[in-house]
Amino acid sequence: MNPCVGIDIGWSSMYMFAEQKDGQLLERTVPTGRDCERTYILKEIHEFINKLGYTPAGVGVGVVGLVEDNERVKLSDMPALTGLRAEHITDGRIPVRLLNDVKAATMAEAVHYPDQRTIAVLLAGYGLAVGVVADGTLLQGARGWSGELGYTLVSTEVGTVKSLDHLAGEWAILDQAGVGQEEMFRRIDSQDEQAIAIIEQAGYYLGVAMTNVIHLYNPDVLIVGGSALAYKGYLEKGIAVAKEHTIPNLLEVCSIVRAQSEQSSIAQGAREYIRSYVMNRQSE
């Protein structure tokens, strides 16, 4: 069986990887963005697959949004992804399965903790989401849409509520700063007071999210990943807040760690999913 391709379509970038015919790993990362067009995404995927020199056995794609039956993106905050179907990725020529990004990351990260009973993976990208593996089973929910942590509402003042996505995610950081990612990095490096204050606030609400996840699921390990962790001080603030507000007994049994493959965990999980899918079909 030829190798499978793993793809992560995220808010700020799309990462793709697979082995080439000579066994070397081929990787490519391209910018995306909230207003990225679907034609651009599909064009980049097609060009990447064509460079492999062979027809892959399958393509696994992790996406931002609600995925229905691993075949269609029901809803996504990235307009280009809403309505995207698996058959669009390769025009139906190659088996494709779509998977929610946090579910894919959870599958990839959980393999590193085979002896732990409950594993939670919190992704802080443009928004926030959580995936949980309990006793070896990925928690899915009634339609496979569990884990939309970013839609949790938080009262910021009397009579006003905001979602964690709009308080702690990368979208919130860049929207409040009014600049792009690279410029925000530059301002943080130059110790710009406003930029640092924005990161402090976003990190605070990340800590609130982490605390809620620990209280809800009592995990052995809480794995934190996502593009927002690239902002200096963000995760550190989140951990400090979580340690301050989490019930001590729950905190004592929970290790808080960074994702082991932060850039590629979603793509890795998506590829593992399609690989298992293809193998199961061949054995039928």
Side-chain angles (χ1 to χ4, degrees), residues 7 21 23 64 76 124 131 136 138 152 157 177 181 197 201 214 219 229:
I7 299 175
K21 294 182 74 174
V64 177
S76 175
L138 180 68
T152 301
E157 57 184 85
Q181 186 185 64
Q201 177 175 290
I214 296 172
L229 271 62

Side-chain angles (χ1 to χ4, degrees), residues 24-67:
Q24 297 295 312
L25 188 67
L26 179 65
E27 299 177 282
R28 178 165 171 74
T29 301
V30 298
T32 53
R34 190 180 189 282
D35 298 322
C36 176
E37 295 185 358
R38 184 184 298 178
T39 53
Y40 164 78
I41 292 172
L42 296 178
K43 172 178 174 292
E44 291 292 341
I45 292 174
H46 294 164
E47 290 182 357
F48 178 83
I49 292 175
N50 289 337
K51 289 180 180 179
L52 292 174
Y54 63 86
T55 300
V59 179
V61 186
V63 299
V64 177
L66 305 180
V67 179

Side-chain angles (χ1 to χ4, degrees), residues 205-247:
Y205 286 107
L206 171 67
V208 170
M210 293 167 66
T211 299
N212 288 338
V213 169
I214 296 172
H215 286 163
L216 284 171
Y217 298 108
N218 182 205
D220 297 282
V221 58
L222 172 59
I223 303 163
V224 187
S227 60
L229 271 62
Y231 297 94
K232 294 178 181 177
Y234 173 78
L235 177 59
E236 291 77 8
K237 180 65 176 183
I239 291 175
V241 171
K243 288 183 175 180
E244 180 181 355
H245 296 288
T246 302
I247 296 173

Side-chain angles (χ1 to χ4, degrees), residues 1-280:
M1 183 177 78
N2 284 340
C4 293
V5 175
I7 299 175
D8 167 18
I9 305 177
W11 278 98
S12 58
S13 64
M14 177 168 65
Y15 170 74
M16 301 169 279
F17 85 106
E19 289 85 8
Q20 295 176 286
K21 294 182 74 174
D22 60 4
Q24 297 295 312
L25 188 67
L26 179 65
E27 299 177 282
R28 178 165 171 74
T29 301
V30 298
T32 53
R34 190 180 189 282
D35 298 322
C36 176
E37 295 185 358
R38 184 184 298 178
T39 53
Y40 164 78
I41 292 172
L42 296 178
K43 172 178 174 292
E44 291 292 341
I45 292 174
H46 294 164
E47 290 182 357
F48 178 83
I49 292 175
N50 289 337
K51 289 180 180 179
L52 292 174
Y54 63 86
T55 300
V59 179
V61 186
V63 299
V64 177
L66 305 180
V67 179
E68 190 172 48
D69 299 325
N70 299 119
E71 293 183 352
R72 183 170 76 98
V73 181
K74 180 76 171 180
L75 177 67
S76 175
D77 287 334
M78 283 184 68
L81 296 182
T82 298
L84 177 70
R85 302 186 69 91
E87 61 196 45
H88 296 156
I89 301 297
T90 61
D91 299 324
R93 297 177 293 110
I94 304 168
V96 177
R97 306 305 279 172
L98 304 176
L99 193 64
N100 169 264
D101 55 357
V102 72
K103 301 290 195 309
T106 301
M107 292 184 64
E109 293 294 334
V111 300
H112 301 297
Y113 302 90
D115 299 325
Q116 302 298 341
R117 182 175 181 181
T118 305
I119 301 156
V121 177
L122 192 164
L123 287 188
Y126 257 47
L128 269 62
V130 65
V132 177
V133 170
D135 294 324
T137 300
L138 180 68
L139 300 185
Q140 294 272 29
R143 293 290 186 273
W145 301 338
S146 66
E148 293 298 320
L149 181 64
Y151 285 92
T152 301
L153 298 180
V154 176
S155 177
T156 55
E157 57 184 85
V158 177
T160 301
V161 295
K162 292 184 178 181
S163 70
L164 283 174
D165 276 351
H166 290 85
L167 291 169
E170 188 176 19
W171 181 89
I173 292 172
L174 298 180
D175 181 64
Q176 190 172 349
V179 299
Q181 186 185 64
E182 292 303 319
E183 174 61 18
M184 189 60 176
F185 288 154
R186 188 194 68 77
R187 292 185 182 186
I188 295 170
D189 288 339
S190 64
Q191 295 295 300
D192 179 87
E193 291 185 1
Q194 181 188 28
I196 292 174
I198 291 172
I199 297 302
E200 281 275 312
Q201 177 175 290
Y204 172 85
Y205 286 107
L206 171 67
V208 170
M210 293 167 66
T211 299
N212 288 338
V213 169
I214 296 172
H215 286 163
L216 284 171
Y217 298 108
N218 182 205
D220 297 282
V221 58
L222 172 59
I223 303 163
V224 187
S227 60
L229 271 62
Y231 297 94
K232 294 178 181 177
Y234 173 78
L235 177 59
E236 291 77 8
K237 180 65 176 183
I239 291 175
V241 171
K243 288 183 175 180
E244 180 181 355
H245 296 288
T246 302
I247 296 173
N249 287 348
L250 276 73
L251 185 63
E252 287 173 5
V253 300
C254 178
S255 300
I256 301 175
V257 301
R258 289 185 70 132
Q260 294 195 30
S261 303
E262 289 189 27
Q263 182 186 33
S264 62
S265 63
I266 293 172
Q268 288 177 352
R271 188 173 76 155
E272 177 59 27
Y273 191 89
I274 186 63
R275 188 188 69 82
S276 298
Y277 171 78
V278 171
M279 291 183 65
N280 288 336

